[in-house]
Amino acid sequence: MAWFKKARRPIAPPTDKTSRVPEGLWIKCPSCAKVIYNKDLGINLHVCPNCAHHFRMSAHERLEMLFDEGRWTEHDPDLRSTDPLTFTDTKPYRDRLAASIRSTGRKDAVVIATGELDAMPVVVAAMEYAFIGGSMGVVVGEKITRAAERALADRSPFIVVSCSGGARMMEGALSLMQMAKICAALGRLDRAGVPYISVLTDPTTGGVTASFAMLGDLNLAEPKALIGFAGPRVIEQTIRQKLPEGFQRSEFLLEKGFIDAIVDRRALKATLGKTLRMMMGLPPAENASVAAP
Ligand SMILES: [Zn+2]
């Protein structure tokens, strides 16, 4: 006979493992810790109703917010990377691409769209962070260049909403070349007098900051967005100095004259509409968007 034996059977695990609470209904604000109903957050353009924290938005949500009645035409949706360097890090780049295409339903990290913003035709490029960190490879470069050329041909204002970790390392120097290519297209747009507005959202870093994101006739940023070139630790190690509080956030950059204005997302469409009409020498729109309080 054993010295010890269990007098009672252990409690059986529940057979029904499905939770009665649907997932993703509620979300906790990382800034004020308030629990927000996901639907309310969507209605409020993904801005926390309590503390105005700006949550990250997908390219689709961004376009839906900017275009009149959420209607637009997408261009070049099928361009995709050919993995020119047959690059492999912890896993092959080809597999990473396939996984991102599956999870986002996009072929690469930017969506090009034309439509109307406050009844004015515009070309918008919205970056998709969920696709390999919104990184800029050959496809992103080509699509933004084509978008700028389209804006030039139609003489429509051009808006780029950046949300990117920078150049895509899996495409090496080919990614870096996109910086020059896009800048050249923006130069042509500038010489033709067609307005270009850059909207910087959280995060905008690396080669994107170092090229087209800073070249707008107007550079607007969302509140508290991380904007920078290299990460703070790399800079601290290089200059051997402690960096100030809030370094690389929109507010700090505005103070230093790096960006022109910080615009709350709920006022972004109205601001873009008003500013572009002024730049294009058009009268204010009859039913212009109004900024939410
Ligand atoms: Zn909050």
Side-chain angles (χ1 to χ4, degrees), residues 129-291:
Y129 193 77
F131 198 104
I132 318 185
S135 53
M136 169 180 59
V138 172
V139 173
V140 168
E142 178 63 19
K143 283 175 85 167
I144 295 180
T145 304
R146 285 189 193 183
E149 285 166 351
R150 187 180 293 276
L152 178 64
D154 301 348
R155 293 198 65 83
S156 304
F158 185 37
I159 301 165
V160 177
V161 184
S162 297
C163 186
S164 168
R168 189 171 295 170
M169 65 160 199
M170 299 85 158
E171 293 185 13
L174 296 168
S175 295
L176 302 180
M177 289 174 193
Q178 305 312 311
M179 296 164 66
K181 185 165 88 180
I182 297 170
C183 293
L186 291 176
R188 291 196 290 276
L189 205 59
D190 182 52
R191 284 192 290 280
V194 178
Y196 161 50
I197 295 186
S198 170
V199 179
L200 296 99
T201 73
D202 183 72
T204 298
T205 57
V208 170
T209 308
S211 59
F212 60 89
M214 285 297 165
L215 290 180
D217 296 312
L218 207 59
N219 298 322
L220 307 176
E222 286 195 335
K224 296 200 179 92
L226 173 74
I227 299 163
F229 181 64
R233 214 174 35 186
V234 175
I235 301 173
E236 276 183 343
Q237 281 167 1
T238 311
I239 64 169
R240 293 167 201 274
Q241 271 181 39
K242 194 95 195 97
L243 294 168
E245 187 78 14
F247 171 74
Q248 293 188 324
R249 293 282 163 189
S250 311
E251 292 70 15
F252 187 85
L253 296 176
L254 178 69
E255 198 187 302
K256 302 292 174 196
F258 221 64
I259 53 172
D260 297 306
I262 296 174
V263 184
D264 188 294
R265 189 181 289 159
R266 292 163 290 185
L268 186 61
K269 186 179 176 185
T271 307
L272 287 171
K274 214 160 63 182
T275 316
L276 286 175
R277 280 189 168 269
M278 191 187 74
M279 286 170 151
M280 298 289 284
L282 297 168
E286 270 173 31
N287 45 2
S289 336
V290 280

Side-chain angles (χ1 to χ4, degrees), residues 29-34 36 48-53 55:
C29 172
S31 175
C32 70
K34 193 181 156 79
I36 316 158
C48 172
N50 190 42
C51 72
H53 171 76
F55 287 80

Side-chain angles (χ1 to χ4, degrees), residues 108-127:
D108 217 297
V110 72
V111 182
I112 307 300
T114 51
E116 292 195 335
L117 188 153
D118 278 355
M120 172 180 38
V122 291
V123 180
V124 180
M127 301 192 80

